[in-house]
Amino acid sequence: GAKFKEVTVGGDEHYEPILPLPSSELERFAVGGGPGLVTNTINAATVSLPGETESFVVCDTPGFGHSKGVEMEIANNIGIIRKVKEAHSVKPVITFNYHSLS
């Protein structure tokens, strides 16, 4: 699996991947640590881990309200719904800023 290190970005703690990643496909995914927009559209990569016979798909999507306008938000959400319906199984990973919990 991937390894991460804790870094400070804009005064907030943030986890950043340590390269190289287990799959070069994952290296094109952007990682942001601040309030700015990093992911505009749905990104996907097929990953085959060393020693494993099966592959899986990792998707990165913009957060809600983090796309370039309402049309892009609708298009992204429709794309997510379609792909989830086509998938054999889905394991969502949701991240958020823990400072927003207060």
Side-chain angles (χ1 to χ4, degrees):
K3 295 182 181 178
F4 293 83
K5 63 183 174 185
E6 189 172 329
V7 296
T8 302
V9 177
D12 291 323
E13 288 77 30
H14 166 70
Y15 287 95
E16 178 177 284
I18 297 171
L19 300 177
L21 294 172
S23 169
S24 61
E25 281 282 312
L26 296 173
E27 291 182 16
R28 62 188 173 86
F29 282 54
V31 177
L37 175 64
V38 175
T39 305
N40 294 320
T41 60
I42 301 167
N43 296 311
T46 301
V47 178
S48 298
L49 297 177
E52 297 290 328
T53 56
E54 294 185 23
S55 62
F56 58 94
V57 176
V58 175
C59 297
D60 181 24
T61 63
F64 294 106
H66 289 131
S67 58
K68 292 184 176 179
V70 102
E71 294 87 358
M72 184 69 83
E73 180 100 12
I74 291 168
N76 284 335
N77 289 331
I78 289 171
I80 293 168
I81 291 167
R82 286 182 178 161
K83 293 304 173 188
V84 166
K85 287 181 177 180
E86 291 175 12
H88 172 70
S89 68
V90 175
K91 295 180 182 178
V93 176
I94 301 168
T95 61
F96 55 91
N97 182 333
Y98 68 88
H99 293 297
S100 66
L101 297 175
S102 59

